[in-house]
Amino acid sequence: VPDPRPTGRAEEPLTRAIAELWAEALGLPVVDAHADVLSLGGDSILAMRTIAFLRRRGHRVAFEDFYEHPTPALLSAAALAAPDHPRPRAVAATAERRRRLAPAQRWLF
């Protein structure tokens, strides 16, 4: 099974920038490039901040990308590989995302 983590040097600055954004937002000293932001307490507010952060830098990303690529390394790779036009979302993948709960939702239920 191939390692899904990006290894190219092109994404390193963006990976670091995302990790720093998440560390600051979550009140952590650092966030590892392969740390799952959802397990660290990331939520929809952080998702919106992250997507806005990436869009201001010219990356074509969607809100769902935060949940589909929940580590700085994966999200930066997805942002750098994003096509010029938004990609269609698969119906099955959309249904699966709806079933997943954010950390705050898991706590509530």
Side-chain angles (χ1 to χ4, degrees), residues 15 33 38 40-41 43 57 61-62 70 76 79 103:
T15 299
L38 301 175
L40 297 175
D43 57 15
R57 285 155 180 77
V61 291
S76 68

Side-chain angles (χ1 to χ4, degrees), residues 1-107:
V1 175
D3 187 353
R5 295 179 295 186
T7 58
R9 296 193 99 26
E11 62 265 10
E12 287 181 8
L14 186 57
T15 299
R16 279 194 304 272
I18 293 168
E20 290 170 5
L21 172 74
W22 291 354
E24 180 182 333
L26 296 169
L28 300 171
V30 294
V31 169
D32 182 76
H34 303 290
D36 185 320
V37 69
L38 301 175
S39 67
L40 297 175
D43 57 15
S44 60
I45 301 297
L46 183 55
M48 289 186 287
R49 286 183 62 190
T50 303
I51 297 309
F53 171 83
L54 291 169
R55 287 180 179 172
R56 281 193 305 271
R57 285 155 180 77
H59 299 286
R60 296 196 53 99
V61 291
F63 183 76
E64 294 87 1
D65 289 322
F66 178 86
Y67 294 99
E68 290 175 6
H69 311 286
T71 72
L74 292 175
L75 185 55
S76 68
L80 291 169
D84 290 339
H85 303 287
R87 62 187 179 278
R89 301 291 178 186
V91 174
T94 301
E96 175 61 29
R97 281 192 301 279
R98 287 186 188 138
R99 286 193 290 265
R100 286 190 250 161
L101 298 177
Q105 293 171 317
R106 286 194 304 267
W107 175 85

